[in-house]
Amino acid sequence: MKKLSFIIILLSLWTLFSNASIKVTITDGIDDDAVKQRMEQHLSTMLTEINSAQSGKRNLNFATIDVNTNVQKSMAMLWENSPFMCTDDMIAEHCITTGTGYQIRNIPLMMKPTGDRAFNEDEYQEAVVSFDSQGNVESFYLSISMNLYMNVIKSNLELTDLRRRQLILDYVEQFRTAYNQKDLPFLKQVFSDDALIITGKVITQRHAEGFTSQKITYNKQTKQQYLDNLRRVFNTTQYIKVTFDDIEVKRHPVNPNFYGVTLHQGYTSNRYHDDGYLFLLWDFNDESAPQIHVRTWQPDKINGKDLPKEEIFTLSDFDI
């Protein structure tokens, strides 16, 4: 009964919010009133169209949204995998200044995967919209939580590293959204040609004494092998949802352009679910086109217990 009541409430909210214009107010963080108003108008128009399209069960009409073709493509790919709506009719958020412009975070979304799956609590997501210095929309991605974002930003106050950490988080969010979008071209671009891909799998062993135990076996793949397997997954699943609920960023002590990013990842599709640790070795020698040299995934539990911290891949496990 509780689940049924929850679904009824969500459906009622859906009807209410999908037909209303969404008012966006930037509370602080930007002094230029003209740019502030432009950002508010762009975001308001975007979110209102999202809800209108969801209510009408149609595709997004980009003729009503003033965004560039890259943003259109990104939103359309995400919409195809899992249409969504904004759950608030009034958004009041702080503006974050980035190296190239501004960001508005904490935009509440309710995802509605394609297929026959009903609403549930796990479909709540948040979006981040980035703007250039003139207030024009530059990107729309699914975000990590504000708490995780601020933990990374505040973990080192040295100016250059702070700017780089902000850039890393932007790419982590773009990387996460790429799986939700099934965006194979972006993943092909972001992995270096010689990228090392390592995937862990739990194997159950039966012993002669009558008991069982588990161990993790690791499989190495090349970039092309990984992308070929991923293409098959994208083609045979209705929707994919990747979430990150913990993150740690470390800069290499000798090579300051290399960063290790460890994330606790949840992966859900209409066919499969797992939780584990994702490690990415990012190379920011070219900030306009950073690349991933190493991607590892490990299950977060073994023999019914949390994977020991010393067994989780980190920056120190790889020679650069």
Side-chain angles (χ1 to χ4, degrees):
M1 286 298 293
K2 289 183 177 179
K3 184 174 182 180
L4 178 60
S5 298
F6 179 77
I7 293 173
I8 291 173
I9 291 171
L10 285 178
L11 291 173
S12 298
L13 290 173
W14 184 292
T15 302
L16 174 63
F17 293 135
S18 62
N19 294 315
S21 296
I22 298 177
K23 178 178 175 55
V24 175
T25 301
I26 298 175
T27 57
D28 57 2
I30 181 172
D31 296 325
D32 190 318
D33 284 339
V35 173
K36 173 178 174 291
Q37 291 175 16
R38 189 174 300 120
M39 292 167 60
E40 290 172 338
Q41 181 58 46
H42 281 321
L43 188 52
S44 174
T45 301
M46 173 189 291
L47 296 177
T48 299
E49 166 56 22
I50 286 170
N51 281 12
S52 177
Q54 184 59 261
S55 176
K57 301 185 183 304
R58 59 173 174 80
N59 290 329
L60 296 169
N61 179 8
F62 291 107
T64 67
I65 310 175
D66 187 11
V67 295
N68 62 43
T69 54
N70 288 333
V71 178
Q72 291 181 24
K73 178 181 177 182
S74 176
M75 292 180 67
M77 291 176 69
L78 184 59
W79 189 269
E80 182 179 359
N81 183 53
S82 179
F84 46 92
M85 63 168 288
C86 180
T87 60
D88 289 353
D89 59 351
M90 296 185 67
I91 305 291
E93 287 294 338
H94 169 77
C95 175
I96 296 175
T97 300
T98 66
T100 58
Y102 307 97
Q103 277 188 351
I104 303 297
R105 306 183 65 84
N106 298 332
I107 300 169
L109 301 178
M110 185 65 72
M111 313 303 288
K112 185 63 176 74
T114 56
D116 299 327
R117 198 174 74 153
F119 266 159
N120 64 59
E121 300 92 325
D122 294 332
E123 289 168 2
Y124 176 80
Q125 301 280 345
E126 292 180 352
V128 52
V129 178
S130 296
F131 302 82
D132 64 18
S133 59
Q134 302 303 309
N136 301 305
V137 177
E138 284 197 320
S139 68
F140 178 98
Y141 299 128
L142 298 178
S143 66
I144 60 174
S145 73
M146 192 63 175
N147 181 51
L148 292 181
Y149 182 90
M150 293 309 299
N151 283 346
V152 173
I153 291 298
K154 292 179 177 179
S155 62
N156 190 305
L157 298 180
E158 192 265 318
L159 182 59
T160 302
D161 193 53
L162 174 62
R163 179 183 59 79
R164 182 65 64 76
R165 285 166 183 264
Q166 198 170 44
L167 184 60
I168 288 170
L169 289 172
D170 288 346
Y171 271 95
V172 164
E173 289 174 331
Q174 188 173 356
F175 180 80
R176 174 206 170 189
T177 305
Y179 284 87
N180 289 270
Q181 296 170 324
K182 303 181 183 177
D183 188 354
L184 203 64
F186 171 78
L187 295 170
K188 181 178 180 180
Q189 167 193 317
V190 79
F191 282 109
S192 66
D193 289 339
D194 60 351
L196 172 63
I197 315 292
I198 301 175
T199 305
K201 181 179 180 180
V202 175
I203 300 296
T204 299
Q205 299 174 302
R206 297 186 181 278
H207 301 270
E209 294 82 359
F211 68 92
T212 62
S213 64
Q214 293 180 325
K215 69 175 184 178
I216 300 176
T217 61
Y218 291 98
N219 177 45
K220 292 183 180 180
Q221 300 178 67
T222 65
K223 171 183 176 178
Q224 192 57 53
Q225 289 171 330
Y226 177 70
L227 292 177
D228 287 344
N229 290 333
L230 199 57
R231 182 182 292 104
R232 285 192 286 271
V233 171
F234 285 174
N235 288 338
T236 55
T237 55
Q238 291 179 345
Y239 67 88
I240 294 173
K241 183 179 75 174
V242 171
T243 59
F244 299 141
D245 59 21
D246 195 13
I247 180 170
E248 182 178 56
V249 177
K250 289 188 176 181
R251 183 170 61 176
H252 195 277
V254 177
N255 297 280
N257 288 324
F258 285 80
Y259 287 77
V261 181
T262 304
L263 303 128
H264 186 258
Q265 174 185 279
Y267 176 101
T268 302
S269 74
N270 57 297
R271 303 177 63 185
Y272 177 76
H273 173 80
D274 63 38
D275 295 289
Y277 291 102
L278 178 70
F279 172 78
L280 303 171
L281 176 59
W282 286 89
D283 175 0
F284 279 86
N285 277 296
D286 180 359
E287 287 194 357
S288 65
Q291 292 205 307
I292 297 172
H293 291 300
V294 177
R295 176 202 182 271
T296 72
W297 184 88
Q298 301 164 274
D300 62 0
K301 293 187 183 300
I302 182 75
N303 292 310
K305 299 180 180 179
D306 291 342
L307 186 68
K309 187 172 183 180
E310 61 270 18
E311 294 185 22
I312 301 172
F313 286 122
T314 65
L315 193 59
S316 61
D317 292 310
F318 301 94
D319 294 328
I320 298 177

